[in-house]
Amino acid sequence: MLLDDENYQADKEIPNPFARLVRDFKLMDGETARTIDHEFRAALGKLTQGMSPIELFNAYTDWLGHLAISPGKQLHLLQSAVHKVFQLGKFTFDAVAHGAETENIYTDRSFAGDAWQQFPYSFFAQSFLATKEFIKESSENVFGVKGDHEELVSFMNTQIIEAISPANIPFTNPDIVAATKAEHGQNIADGLKRMVDDLTDRTPVEERNPFQVGKDVGKTPGKVIFQNRLIELIQYTPTTPEVGSDPVLIIPPWIMKFYILDLTPKQSLIKYLVDQGKTVFIVSWKNPTAEDRDLTMDDYLDLGLLEALKAVTTIVPRCKVNTVGYCIGGTLLAIGAAALARDGDDTIKSVSLFTAQTDFTEPGEIKRMLGESQVSFVESAMWKQGYLEATNMGGAFKAMKPADLVWGPRVNRYFLGKEAEPNELMAWSEDATRMPYRMHTDYLRQLYLSNDLAVGEYKVHGEPVSLADIRVPIFAVGTTTDHVAPWKSVYKILRLTHTPVTFLLTNGGHNAGIICGAEHPRRSYQVHLHHPGDSFIDPDTWSETVERNPGSWWLEWNDWLDVQSGNKIKAPKMGAAKKGYEVLRDAPGEYVIAP
């Protein structure tokens, strides 16, 4: 039945009860929602020690799910378990009946002591090693599991199994048992006190780091001749009447303090270069705070490398600059060299890269902790504070070698009463730095996740750069036991450039291999010059065929650098006050000391 006009008009005047609600209702904008997500994830990250539970769940679900539908792998693991049980039974019988020992214990440095060779401690060690090997077999080579998931599962399983090593438990570690008997438990009491001090941060700073920057380390004479909101630039006092006409500019990583290159006089690369007749400059990065949260990779390039180059070429007129980059500082240098080459700027004369990656497809064990979900968790933690805590970075690196860097030192400190003899490198490693939110996010996403630099998609000032544009000589150094920048990853620079690359491989780790000093009886190296157009040699073949030389690689690099340094000239003055680069203060400056 149709309404007549009068009734229809009355119905129209009835107020709609939802009209005001619709009018006043405001949808949450995307930025607010993202803020809530960041807050929640930052809080959750504190509970999970920075690990993404989603990343772990996905990895373990992938692994266990594929393992459940792999009867062949299951049968293999069953046979392996039975075989290990039989081996352990035989070992135990021989140890009890005949006092036999086994060489397998020496596969783990934690059990190398003589006391571990005696039953029952040898049984504890053998059981652990067998379990550790079985867990490794279970974690790897499960058909169908994604590679990054397999790596994460293997990494986490390693953390778990290392935590329950008999070397970490007072009742199963013979050294702890012996010390407790000899000291009537005083070692345990002292260890508990140290643990409380460490947890409550009451340990005096002098005890944690007895080496003072500028007094004990970082004391090569020099002057700060430039400063901006991100860097101080240090020029070192010459020690020779003449120097090479083309100076050296060092770009250290900002994830560590620059004085790793200036520890003791024998370990100081800076002092060595100065004594060899080089004019040396180095960037000292500011330790960022919350107010630096929006600094970008472009800012690190502009305020760091490019401002430093401008200062160096002003103080030493008509020069070209021999640039040196260490770790992430080397990655930044490679980016900057490519950008300058793209723009037709020939300020750089040579590029030296120390343990610096330019292709991140195989970045080592750190990749296990850098899936998309994990990076988003790191991003949320940084968003909350404006930076990534120094302890987060240090903890990630220590987790790569848990037995040596996490549990071993704790056992020594808390159970055995053994204080590690302080040295300059250990003190420096505790003097860590923070990472600003925006820069570190860009770094992780653009380099580690997307590998933009290697594929020519990394942008500087909005335009892509290519490492193939670099035409100056390159000297690249890798170290054999580097777990931060594996040498085979560093080696990839040979495929990304069309310029002469001298690649050198030295024994040692990421830091110890670089700061080995000019004389080191246990160091050796291999070196080879790769010309453009030469056939590519895979890294394994390279390491097997290139001749090994005894001694420190510093001398080899210095000879190469001599060729790049030009004719001898009178050492330049410190700074150039009339051109805006006056001496501000003595080295090592303020940024390296500021907390």
Side-chain angles (χ1 to χ4, degrees), residues 401-416:
K401 292 185 175 181
D404 295 334
L405 302 180
V406 178
W407 298 110
R410 293 183 181 181
V411 167
N412 286 334
R413 180 167 172 78
Y414 299 141
F415 295 131
L416 295 176

Side-chain angles (χ1 to χ4, degrees), residues 346-416:
D346 63 352
T347 301
I348 291 179
K349 187 174 185 180
S350 70
V351 172
S352 295
L353 303 175
F354 301 162
T355 62
Q357 298 179 95
T358 49
D359 184 317
F360 289 79
T361 52
E362 297 177 293
E365 297 179 10
I366 193 67
K367 182 70 172 179
R368 299 173 179 178
M369 295 179 281
L370 290 177
E372 177 62 41
S373 178
Q374 183 59 40
V375 169
S376 72
F377 252 66
V378 174
E379 186 176 349
S380 292
M382 291 189 294
W383 176 91
K384 176 71 174 177
Q385 301 178 119
Y387 54 82
L388 183 68
E389 287 281 8
T391 51
N392 291 67
M393 187 72 68
F397 289 139
K398 288 180 180 178
M400 297 178 195
K401 292 185 175 181
D404 295 334
L405 302 180
V406 178
W407 298 110
R410 293 183 181 181
V411 167
N412 286 334
R413 180 167 172 78
Y414 299 141
F415 295 131
L416 295 176

Side-chain angles (χ1 to χ4, degrees), residues 80-96:
S80 177
V82 171
H83 180 65
K84 286 176 172 56
V85 169
F86 287 162
Q87 281 186 316
L88 187 60
K90 177 181 180 300
F91 167 79
T92 305
F93 180 83
D94 289 342
V96 173

Side-chain angles (χ1 to χ4, degrees), residues 316-364:
V316 188
R318 298 177 297 279
C319 76
K320 298 292 180 65
V321 184
N322 295 300
T323 53
V324 183
Y326 184 10
C327 187
I328 187 178
T331 303
L332 183 76
L333 173 57
I335 292 170
L340 291 174
R342 177 198 66 188
D343 299 337
D345 188 316
D346 63 352
T347 301
I348 291 179
K349 187 174 185 180
S350 70
V351 172
S352 295
L353 303 175
F354 301 162
T355 62
Q357 298 179 95
T358 49
D359 184 317
F360 289 79
T361 52
E362 297 177 293

